[in-house]
Amino acid sequence: MNVLTSSIRSRPAAWFYIGWLIINLIQSYGTELLHDEAYYWVYSQYPAWGYFDHPPMIAVLIKLGYQIFPNELGVRLMMALMNTATLWLVHQLLIKKDDLLFYALTASMGVLQIGGILAVPDIPLTFFTALFFWQYKRFLEQDNWLQGLLLGIVMAGMLYSKYHGILIILFTLFSNWKLVRNPRAWIAVIIGVLHFFPHLYWQYQHDFPSVSYHLKERNAPAFQFAFTLEYVAGQILLAGPLIGFLLLRSANRYKSTDLLARALQWSMWGFYGFFLISTLKGRVEANWTVPALIPVIILSHAWISENLSQRKWIFKLLVPSLVLVVLVRVYMLTDISGLTRIFKDEMHGNREWVNAIKEKSNGLPVIFLNSYQRPSKYWFYSGDTSFAINTTYYRRNNYNFWPIEKEWQNRKVLVVDKDLGTIDNSFDIPTPRGIIPAVVIDMLHSFSHIRLSLSDKSADFKKGHPAQLTVEVDKHSINELQQLLKGSGVPNELVADLFVGKSMVQRLSLTPSELQETKLTLTSRENISLQPGEYIMKLGIATSLPNLYSQNSPAIVIEVN
């Protein structure tokens, strides 16, 4: 015991990081996947330079870990390592020397402990954000071509992790405009762009789906004050369930003219401010600002280390903070049925839910509707490939791009979804999460992979008149759409579904013209009955399921006159 105590006292940092990593590896192994983690695991089954929702970094990291451990630990292995490395980098960036305060402060931040294991893009982005500030510090100190080159590589790493990384780069520039006249800084930009170019080219090849989704398709139809209130409360809790407000206030109070400190300050408040403004357009997930915690830790640590009364509060709240973290960790590791039913979380009962469906499938491939989570969870825990048909009632995701749907055409399949109970020959599957209707389709026809987009200034929507619009057909979809329009015994009806929010207000059946190269003119067989105003339109093609149409276009804002 004396040897152990002596070792801890002589090497506290080593013991801190080793303990942190071991706890998170155990947590990673014993906790079932969240929905998004399973979805990103499917990413890793289809290596590419880009995906509908995100750049490819998360897929690469999951694939590396899963090749070592083909289970939950493998999915999260690189995240646990990056999380620990992030703390080490932040430790090196501390402005003031106070290791004990740093250990207490970070241990009190639940998101660093518990969230640090999750296989989501925020973890690599946070790592590369810390690495960016670490490299930016070296660049400021040495300012040579090598440091500029390395800074560019790190910048590309941020962007390959998540698009939000561009905010860190921009706010760092705002904090130091002299970088514009620095040729080594331009080298960093050029190197970063060159390394990121393969992803940009992937976006170009696929009609920039990520841009369309993040800027248009996922936004709410109108401002709700609840979005802003939820965002502000979420940021305080994210910074620490008990110390969040103290950290944010302390970080704001630290003042310095040092260029690194200015970059940290600009990035912190720039990040928070950008997403605060974003709440005017739609809901902002609390985790989107996780990279801002890097400057929060460094700046708050610097201020608190000089204010003993505030420092005492960190240590007073350490024990209750750790108790909360331990309780959450234990809950994640154990399936307490009563609590699981109350919280309806994503971390328990996945295997039982999958086994119940698989047993009733009788060996048939299983398809879901309007979900990227359920097919991903089913695939991971059953070992059987699955996918989802995204209808006009939902949104597009990467299942619109992967080849599974094409490969399964004309196959006999089992379709599972809560809205199938009214279809003839449907039957119920009892699962731990309730009864789910299912139906067997003897010959699958679905066309989510066909991509249509509205040509510029080519839509005419007037109340009391038929709608007419011209659409651009993706070059990879032309041959299949031509065969479909000729009619070959498969559903081939096209529709334009018009929505207010998530409610469909009118369905227009469309008559297509002859396909002219990549353009198709569509005319509705019904007159528009809606009042003048703004609506969301989604184009769809009939599937094997009655009255369900695959979503074949982005959500398009149209104006009825």
Side-chain angles (χ1 to χ4, degrees):
M1 180 62 73
N2 290 335
V3 174
L4 178 61
T5 303
S6 176
S7 178
I8 293 174
R9 286 177 178 173
S10 62
R11 299 180 180 84
W15 280 96
F16 175 78
Y17 292 117
I18 290 172
W20 186 286
L21 178 60
I22 290 174
I23 291 171
N24 276 347
L25 290 176
I26 294 171
Q27 189 81 54
S28 298
Y29 176 74
T31 304
E32 294 182 21
L33 297 186
L34 298 181
H35 295 333
D36 284 0
E37 291 181 285
Y39 180 47
Y40 299 138
W41 173 80
V42 179
Y43 273 23
S44 72
Q45 307 303 299
Y46 293 97
W49 281 107
Y51 299 91
F52 179 82
D53 318 71
H54 293 292
M57 180 67 74
I58 187 66
V60 173
L61 296 173
I62 290 175
K63 193 169 188 67
L64 288 173
Y66 198 76
Q67 288 179 334
I68 301 171
F69 301 110
N71 51 33
E72 289 92 343
L73 174 58
V75 173
R76 296 170 172 145
L77 177 62
M78 299 305 296
M79 312 305 134
L81 293 171
M82 277 187 160
N83 174 248
T84 307
T86 299
L87 288 182
W88 183 86
L89 287 167
V90 173
H91 199 169
Q92 310 312 304
L93 287 166
L94 293 180
I95 299 168
K96 305 292 183 180
K97 178 69 174 177
D98 191 337
D99 288 350
L100 195 59
L101 175 62
F102 172 73
Y103 302 145
L105 191 152
T106 52
S108 299
M109 299 175 71
V111 68
L112 293 181
Q113 290 210 49
I114 300 167
I117 70 166
L118 301 180
V120 294
D122 305 280
I123 304 305
L125 174 59
T126 305
F127 166 77
F128 278 105
T129 298
L131 187 60
F132 170 82
F133 286 122
W134 184 81
Q135 180 57 35
Y136 181 58
K137 181 182 179 181
R138 289 164 58 90
F139 178 83
L140 292 173
E141 293 170 346
Q142 300 180 33
D143 192 8
N144 57 43
W145 298 106
L146 175 61
Q147 300 307 322
L149 184 149
L150 293 175
L151 187 62
I153 294 173
V154 175
M155 287 161 57
M158 280 201 298
L159 296 176
Y160 270 118
S161 299
K162 204 171 183 179
Y163 302 118
H164 300 168
I166 190 65
L167 296 177
I168 298 292
I169 298 170
L170 289 177
F171 289 121
T172 297
L173 173 62
F174 295 161
S175 74
N176 182 11
W177 279 108
K178 290 182 179 179
L179 291 171
V180 174
R181 301 195 303 270
N182 188 329
R184 273 79 64 188
W186 280 103
I187 282 294
V189 172
I190 293 169
I191 292 297
V193 171
L194 288 176
H195 279 80
F196 196 58
F197 180 78
H199 176 70
L200 297 176
Y201 185 66
W202 181 92
Q203 289 285 344
Y204 167 76
Q205 287 181 307
H206 295 81
D207 298 324
F208 297 95
S210 301
V211 176
S212 176
Y213 171 61
H214 288 293
L215 296 185
K216 299 178 182 178
E217 297 181 55
R218 75 180 303 160
N219 289 335
F223 167 70
Q224 297 181 32
F225 181 69
F227 292 159
T228 303
L229 193 63
E230 177 185 281
Y231 169 76
V232 173
Q235 297 317 304
I236 295 173
L237 290 173
L238 196 69
L242 300 182
I243 66 169
F245 181 77
L246 172 60
L247 294 188
L248 292 171
R249 186 186 65 173
S250 301
N252 184 51
R253 288 187 171 185
Y254 181 75
K255 306 299 180 185
S256 174
T257 57
D258 176 77
L259 287 176
L260 177 63
R262 282 176 53 82
L264 292 166
Q265 291 164 339
W266 271 85
S267 296
M268 178 180 68
W269 291 120
F271 229 89
Y272 285 134
F274 176 85
F275 286 110
L276 178 63
I277 294 172
S278 298
T279 63
L280 301 177
K281 297 185 67 178
R283 175 173 281 107
V284 171
E285 302 294 337
N287 62 285
W288 291 356
T289 61
V290 167
L293 293 180
I294 301 301
V296 167
I297 295 170
I298 298 169
L299 297 173
S300 64
H301 177 277
W303 189 83
I304 293 171
S305 65
E306 296 180 340
N307 293 268
L308 296 181
S309 61
Q310 303 302 309
R311 188 178 187 277
K312 290 177 181 177
W313 273 108
I314 296 295
F315 289 97
K316 285 180 180 179
L317 294 172
L318 175 60
V319 172
S321 295
L322 288 176
V323 169
L324 286 175
V325 169
V326 169
L327 289 175
V328 174
R329 284 188 182 278
V330 171
Y331 171 74
M332 292 169 68
L333 289 168
T334 58
D335 188 358
I336 304 171
S337 58
L339 291 176
T340 300
R341 283 196 298 271
I342 293 172
F343 295 118
K344 298 180 181 179
D345 64 67
E346 307 168 18
M347 301 171 290
H348 298 106
N350 291 298
R351 290 182 177 85
E352 293 79 4
W353 174 78
V354 165
N355 290 338
I357 296 174
K358 186 170 183 175
E359 181 181 350
K360 294 295 184 180
S361 71
N362 294 320
L364 291 178
V366 176
I367 294 174
F368 297 84
L369 294 181
N370 298 333
S371 174
Y372 62 86
Q373 304 104 327
R374 293 192 295 274
S376 303
K377 277 284 184 71
Y378 185 86
W379 189 343
F380 183 85
Y381 284 106
S382 70
D384 296 337
T385 305
S386 180
F387 86 94
I389 300 172
N390 298 314
T391 74
T392 55
Y393 288 98
Y394 191 53
R395 68 167 181 82
R396 299 185 301 160
N397 53 53
N398 225 94
Y399 283 102
N400 289 72
F401 291 82
W402 286 319
I404 315 165
E405 184 182 45
K406 281 186 177 181
E407 295 167 357
W408 286 15
Q409 293 301 300
N410 301 315
R411 292 184 65 177
K412 186 176 183 179
V413 299
L414 177 72
V415 184
V416 181
D417 187 79
K418 59 183 176 60
D419 295 325
L420 296 176
T422 59
I423 294 180
D424 293 342
N425 302 319
S426 67
F427 61 94
D428 292 336
I429 301 178
T431 78
R433 296 177 180 169
I435 294 175
I436 307 177
V439 63
V440 173
I441 301 295
D442 290 326
M443 189 172 290
L444 173 68
H445 298 297
S446 66
F447 309 99
S448 300
H449 54 278
I450 293 178
R451 299 200 294 275
L452 308 174
S453 58
L454 189 66
S455 297
D456 293 338
K457 300 179 181 179
S458 58
D460 185 18
F461 294 88
K462 293 181 181 178
K463 183 181 178 182
H465 293 78
Q468 188 172 76
L469 56 151
T470 302
V471 296
E472 191 82 25
V473 182
D474 176 73
K475 62 181 180 180
H476 302 293
S477 306
I478 291 175
N479 291 336
E480 186 174 4
L481 186 60
Q482 281 180 325
Q483 295 299 316
L484 198 61
L485 295 177
K486 290 177 181 178
S488 55
V490 302
N492 60 4
E493 183 183 6
L494 281 78
V495 298
D497 285 344
L498 305 182
F499 292 81
V500 173
K502 294 183 178 180
S503 300
M504 187 172 70
V505 290
Q506 187 173 8
R507 168 167 286 168
L508 301 172
S509 300
L510 301 173
T511 300
S513 66
E514 289 290 328
L515 187 62
Q516 302 294 326
E517 296 183 349
T518 62
K519 293 187 183 297
L520 188 68
T521 299
L522 304 170
T523 306
S524 70
R525 295 195 285 272
E526 303 88 4
N527 292 335
I528 296 177
S529 61
L530 303 175
Q531 295 299 318
E534 192 175 86
Y535 298 87
I536 296 294
M537 178 181 72
K538 299 178 184 179
L539 302 176
I541 300 175
T543 70
S544 302
L545 296 160
N547 297 315
L548 288 176
Y549 296 77
S550 57
Q551 184 175 341
N552 300 95
S553 74
I556 303 166
V557 178
I558 59 106
E559 192 79 28
V560 173
N561 300 310

